[in-house]
Amino acid sequence: MINKLARPCAPTLAQPRDEEFDHATRLVAGFVVEIVSPGSEAMDSVTKVREYASAGIPQYWVVDRDGAQTVTLHRLSGDGTYEARARMPLAWLLQTAPADHLD
């Protein structure tokens, strides 16, 4: 398990202060939402994905900055990598409950 993760883009309900972040990242989140920003595509789609998978985070959602703000829902598979399970526009996803998409 890694000791420190990159900060996800989407804030959590209990966002740790900077001095608490190292400790807080040792806890396993149920899911992470990453908003792909211009200039950080490689970090968001390669580096962070590996870190989150290594930490055992079961769900990883990626919001692309395309016209529909497409969200791809990934699930951690048995081999420790993420597989895409669904893609949908953010507007549609926001009309549903997050629990509808979590295992």
Side-chain angles (χ1 to χ4, degrees):
M1 174 117 173
I2 57 178
N3 289 328
K4 188 172 182 179
L5 293 175
R7 281 187 185 264
C9 291
T12 61
L13 292 177
Q15 183 72 28
R17 293 187 303 268
D18 287 339
E19 65 271 12
E20 297 173 332
F21 191 72
D22 288 345
H23 172 71
T25 57
R26 291 188 185 104
L27 304 174
V28 176
F31 72 103
V32 171
V33 176
E34 194 67 54
I35 300 169
V36 179
S37 299
S40 71
E41 294 90 346
M43 173 71 98
D44 295 340
S45 63
V46 178
T47 305
K48 289 183 180 181
V49 172
R50 288 182 187 151
E51 290 178 350
Y52 298 149
S54 293
I57 296 171
Q59 304 248 357
Y60 176 61
W61 298 5
V62 179
V63 181
D64 290 315
R65 309 246 331 172
D66 57 8
Q69 295 182 318
T70 304
V71 181
T72 305
L73 310 180
H74 297 86
R75 180 186 321 152
L76 192 61
S77 64
D79 66 0
T81 61
Y82 287 106
E83 56 186 44
R85 351 182 341 232
R87 286 178 56 87
M88 63 198 71
L90 179 61
W92 184 85
L93 181 65
L94 292 175
Q95 295 177 27
T96 63
D100 294 343
H101 307 287
L102 298 173
D103 295 332

